[in-house]
Each structure stands twice: as structure tokens, then as C-alpha cells.
């Protein structure tokens, strides 16, 4: 088990929320065996054979934020491979912990992917504030001809559309894959799992999971895939009864019942908090905070106002809403506690319905 100390600084500046680097003090990586096995005799060498391997290993979505690698291997021409070391949630330290303790496996997985897709360039997207993380990757980058790109960590920079715009100036249409613009985006977990397979010839039956709870030090633990969250939390000495359990981050995560939920490969973070006292929403005060926080330049207040007159909703607004990346920032900053994100999500859903019912867009 890995214990550590973490603090998070945040500040609101025009254009969005910026988070300072989390401080992390990690003495040891949890010693956890990967089942013995011989290294695979043959490694894939093409995009098609890598796809076959991912299917065979059932390695599909291991990170909810970065699109699954398998879905990105449909494009014939990939120019760039980007390893996304920008944390998908501001409080996440998983990229840093994996880099610190599992660098050889990460590099092996990354090299496998770049060779299979014949990428011309391999880049590492790293938060500029994380000097330690950049330092950890410096030697590997030099030896393997990766380039390190430090970026100011503006949440939700880890999202593909924001990352590609910031890193390469490429615009990703809503719903498109990074591969559509010639880039494969890799998350550190997928890289690590591929690296484990190269080294041990088998997939790990566990994954690192970040645990957050109030009044306790945040931790990264090794937890068995398929185990109930209740079991994992009890083992970690965390009281979850009569509290809320949120998976994959407080900003855009999902509320679950730990008794009824098992650890999926894509669950990277479990947060436990007291049940909040609900604040009733009040009328919009037109402060504009939601507009300045939205990383894709939407007007959440305007969209919400239109939903209230849904009968006359212009299809163009629904199409605009489809650019929403579900980051939750508008709801987070709204002083009137308006349910902006869920409302815009409902609006997004009407785009598909309009198509089905033949309503002109
Ligand atoms: S949830 Fe959607 S509308 Fe709200 S800030 Fe994020 S991208 Fe913009
Ligand atoms: S942040 Fe809330 S109160 Fe302010 S303009 Fe947006 S919806 Fe209205």
C-alpha cells in the first residue's frame, strides 16, 4: 500500500480554473505480483496486429477520459503518438505515481504503440508545474527520442479535444477520435498494461486506484479488478456507510453504491465524502462565470435558458451543446447552483433524437 501526502491549490482566473501541482510524497510502490509468465514470443508490429492483440487481451477502455486505444487504430495514417500525462482530474496523481514506479513498463508500452502505428513523432504531454514528473521522463525521452511538452495545467486539459488544441493546434470535432486528425492519444494505464504484457506475458489482475476521503491522507492502493468497492474501502480502513461514493473524480465522476459496484479496469479513483446538504438552485444572476469557465467556449447560461422553452428550442443550440465535454466546470462555478451540466447533457441527447425523428437540423 502506498501512502502519501497531497495538497491542491486552485485559483480562478479569467478563462477558467487553474490548478497548482499536487504535492506527493510516495515512499514505496505497493509490491504486488503479476502472475508469472514468459514474455510473449512475438510482439505486434503493425496497427492491425496491435488491434488484434488488444481485442485478444480484452484491453479496451482502461481510462474513461482518453479514448480507448483500440478505437483509435481504425485510422490508416497516424503521424503522432502522444502519451497523455496530464491528470484527467485536478486531484489525480496517478500519472506521476506510475511514472515514478513503473517507468520501464510505461516506456515499453509506448514504444510498442509507436512502432505499430509507424508514428513520425512521439510526444509526452506533461503539466508544466510538475517539475519532478518532467525530470523523471528526461532520461527515457532522450534515450527513446520522445519529446516532452510542458503545458500549463488548465483543467480539463487532459480531455482529448482540449489537449490536442493546446499541444498541436488541432481542432477535434465533437465525438471525433484523435486518430481522425492523425494522432493517437495514449493514457498511462494502457501503456502500463501493454508494458506488463511485454515483460510478463500476462495482464495484471489488479490496478492502482487513488483513494480520497475527508480527514485522511490521499493514497494510491493496488486493488483487485472484480472486487467490490465496499471490500476495497473496508480493507483500506475507510468508512463509506452513510457517505457518498464517487468514482473517477469529484468534478465529473459518477455517484455509485460501493456495495453494488465492483472495480472495473476503468475505475482509477474512488472518493468518499459526507452527503452534502443540498442547496436549492435560484435564478441565474447573469454573472457570466459559467461562460468564462467553459473550456470549449459555450454559453451554458444561454443554453440552459433555452432548455426552459424547449418547445421552441432551435436545433442549432442542440448542436452547439454537442461540443460540451462534460467537464462540470460550469456547474462548479455557478453561484446560483443551477444544474447546468446535466441540463446541457439532456440537450445533447436531443441531437440524436432529432436525427431519428427527421427533424431538420
Ligand atoms: S460541462 Fe460543458 S458547458 Fe459546462 S463548462 Fe464543461 S464543456 Fe462547458
Ligand atoms: S454562472 Fe450561473 S448564475 Fe452565473 S451566468 Fe452562469 S448560470 Fe447564470
Amino acid at each position: 500500500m502506498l501512502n502519501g501526502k497531497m495538497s491542491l491549490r486552485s485559483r480562478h482566473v479569467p478563462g477558467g480554473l487553474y490548478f497548482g501541482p499536487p504535492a506527493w510524497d510516495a515512499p514505496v510502490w505497493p509490491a504486488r505480483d503479476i502472475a508469472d509468465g514468459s514474455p510473449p514470443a512475438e510482439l505486434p508490429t503493425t496497427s492491425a496486429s496491435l488491434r488484434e492483440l488488444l481485442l485478444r487481451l480484452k484491453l479496451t477502455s482502461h481510462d474513461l477520459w482518453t479514448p480507448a486505444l483500440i478505437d483509435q487504430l481504425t485510422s490508416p495514417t497516424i503521424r503522432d503518438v502522444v502519451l497523455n500525462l496530464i491528470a484527467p482530474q485536478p486531484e489525480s496523481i496517478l500519472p506521476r505515481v506510475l511514472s515514478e514506479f513503473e517507468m520501464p513498463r510505461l516506456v515499453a508500452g509506448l514504444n510498442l504503440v509507436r512502432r505499430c502505428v509507424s508514428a513520425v513523432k512521439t510526444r509526452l504531454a506533461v503539466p508544466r508545474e510538475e517539475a519532478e514528473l518532467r525530470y523523471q521522463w528526461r532520461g527515457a525521452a532522450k534515450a527513446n527520442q520522445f519529446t516532452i511538452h510542458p503545458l500549463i495545467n488548465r483543467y480539463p486539459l487532459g480531455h482529448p479535444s482540449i489537449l490536442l488544441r493546446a499541444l498541436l493546434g488541432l481542432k477535434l470535432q465533437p465525438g471525433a477520435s484523435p486518430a481522425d486528425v492523425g494522432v493517437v492519444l495514449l493514457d498511462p494505464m494502457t501503456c502500463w498494461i501493454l508494458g506488463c504484457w511485454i515483460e510478463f506475458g500476462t495482464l495484471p489482475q489488479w490496478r492502482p486506484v487513488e483513494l480520497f476521503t475527508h480527514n485522511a491522507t490521499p493514497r494510491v492502493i493496488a486493488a483487485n479488478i472484480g472486487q467490490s468497492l465496499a471490500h476495497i474501502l473496508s480493507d483500506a480502513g475507510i468508512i463509506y456507510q452513510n457517505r457518498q461514493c464517487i468514482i473517477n473524480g469529484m468534478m465529473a465522476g459518477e455517484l455509485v453504491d460501493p456495495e453494488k459496484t465492483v472495480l472495473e479496469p476503468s475505475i482509477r479513483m474512488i472518493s468518499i465524502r459526507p452527503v452534502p446538504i443540498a442547496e436549492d438552485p435560484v435564478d441565474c444572476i447573469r454573472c457570466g462565470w459559467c461562460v468564462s469557465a467553459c473550456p470549449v467556449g459555450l454559453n451554458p447560461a444561454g443554453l440552459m435558458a433555452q432548455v426552459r422553452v424547449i418547445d421552441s428550442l432551435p436545433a442549432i443550440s442542440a448542436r452547439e451543446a454537442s461540443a460540451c465535454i462534460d467537464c462540470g466546470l460550469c456547474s462548479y462555478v455557478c453561484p446560483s447552483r443551477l444544474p447546468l451540466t446535466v441540463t446541457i447533457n439532456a440537450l445533447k441527447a436531443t441531437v440524436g433524437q432529432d436525427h431519428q425523428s427527421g427533424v431538420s437540423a
Side-chain angles (χ1 to χ4, degrees):
M1 188 175 289
L2 185 68
N3 290 314
K5 297 191 182 84
M6 193 185 76
S7 66
L8 186 71
R9 293 180 283 118
S10 71
R11 61 203 158 100
H12 188 245
V13 297
L17 286 170
Y18 290 80
F19 292 87
W24 173 252
D25 170 19
V28 279
W29 175 247
R32 200 64 188 261
D33 289 338
I34 292 173
D36 283 339
S38 10
E42 277 185 32
L43 296 177
T45 52
T46 63
S47 177
S49 54
L50 177 60
R51 201 180 147 74
E52 258 172 49
L53 173 74
L54 296 170
L55 279 171
R56 185 152 56 83
L57 300 179
K58 298 191 173 58
L59 184 55
T60 52
S61 181
H62 283 263
D63 188 297
L64 297 176
W65 198 265
T66 305
L69 173 60
I70 198 163
D71 295 336
Q72 299 179 70
L73 294 175
T74 48
S75 172
T77 41
I78 302 295
R79 189 179 59 238
D80 263 308
V81 172
V82 176
L83 176 59
N84 182 10
L85 295 167
I86 311 263
Q89 293 280 315
E91 66 268 38
S92 171
I93 34 75
L94 198 54
R96 175 126 53 97
V97 174
L98 273 175
S99 298
E100 189 169 345
F101 296 102
E102 292 292 315
M103 177 71 77
R105 257 78 55 201
L106 286 175
V107 171
L110 181 55
N111 278 335
L112 177 71
V113 175
R114 71 199 291 226
R115 191 185 62 206
C116 289
V117 301
S118 308
V120 179
K121 281 202 162 181
T122 305
R123 308 171 201 244
L124 312 175
V126 182
R128 184 178 289 173
E129 304 86 352
E130 301 246 18
E132 209 178 303
L133 184 57
R134 292 209 312 274
Y135 182 77
Q136 283 161 6
W137 276 96
R138 219 159 52 184
K142 200 168 170 199
N144 294 276
Q145 295 175 325
F146 309 148
T147 50
I148 298 178
H149 292 254
L151 296 166
I152 293 175
N153 191 8
R154 179 188 173 192
Y155 173 78
L157 182 62
H159 189 277
S161 62
I162 310 288
L163 178 59
L164 290 184
R165 201 173 60 202
L167 186 65
L168 303 167
L170 294 170
K171 190 155 186 221
L172 202 59
Q173 295 303 323
S177 159
D180 295 342
V181 289
V183 182
V184 159
L185 264 191
L186 259 182
D187 66 275
M189 270 309 290
T190 303
C191 245
W192 175 69
I193 293 168
L194 280 174
C196 288
W197 178 79
I198 292 167
E199 188 165 333
F200 304 106
T202 183
L203 295 183
Q205 299 303 305
W206 59 278
R207 64 155 296 156
V209 178
E210 298 170 87
L211 293 183
F212 292 87
T213 183
H214 66 301
N215 299 336
T217 311
R219 282 177 267 179
V220 176
I221 59 159
N224 290 329
I225 291 166
Q227 202 167 28
S228 86
L229 300 196
H231 197 133
I232 293 167
L233 290 165
S234 298
D235 275 359
I238 293 177
I239 297 166
Y240 61 87
Q241 292 84 353
N242 303 319
R243 299 190 182 164
Q244 282 190 336
C245 176
I246 299 162
I247 54 170
N248 291 334
M250 302 294 278
M251 294 290 276
E254 188 190 341
L255 197 60
V256 297
D257 179 349
E259 302 278 359
K260 295 184 183 152
T261 311
V262 297
L263 186 72
E264 303 283 349
S266 57
I267 297 180
R268 59 177 188 273
M269 187 187 282
I270 307 172
S271 311
I272 299 293
R273 69 172 184 190
V275 179
I277 299 160
E279 284 180 73
D280 286 335
V282 294
D283 284 344
C284 172
I285 57 169
R286 297 191 172 87
C287 63
W289 286 6
C290 55
V291 179
S292 79
C294 181
V296 292
L298 297 179
N299 177 349
L303 289 168
M304 172 109 182
Q306 289 186 17
V307 171
R308 291 186 164 171
V309 286
I310 194 126
D311 285 347
S312 58
L313 183 73
I316 193 149
S317 301
R319 279 214 306 274
E320 186 189 337
S322 67
C324 168
I325 60 167
D326 225 359
C327 66
L329 278 176
C330 50
S331 300
Y332 181 69
V333 298
C334 177
S336 297
R337 314 314 311 155
L338 287 165
L340 295 160
T341 308
V342 284
T343 308
I344 291 167
N345 260 322
L347 186 53
K348 268 159 80 171
T350 66
V351 181
Q353 286 164 15
D354 282 354
H355 276 298
Q356 280 163 19
S357 60
V359 174
S360 109

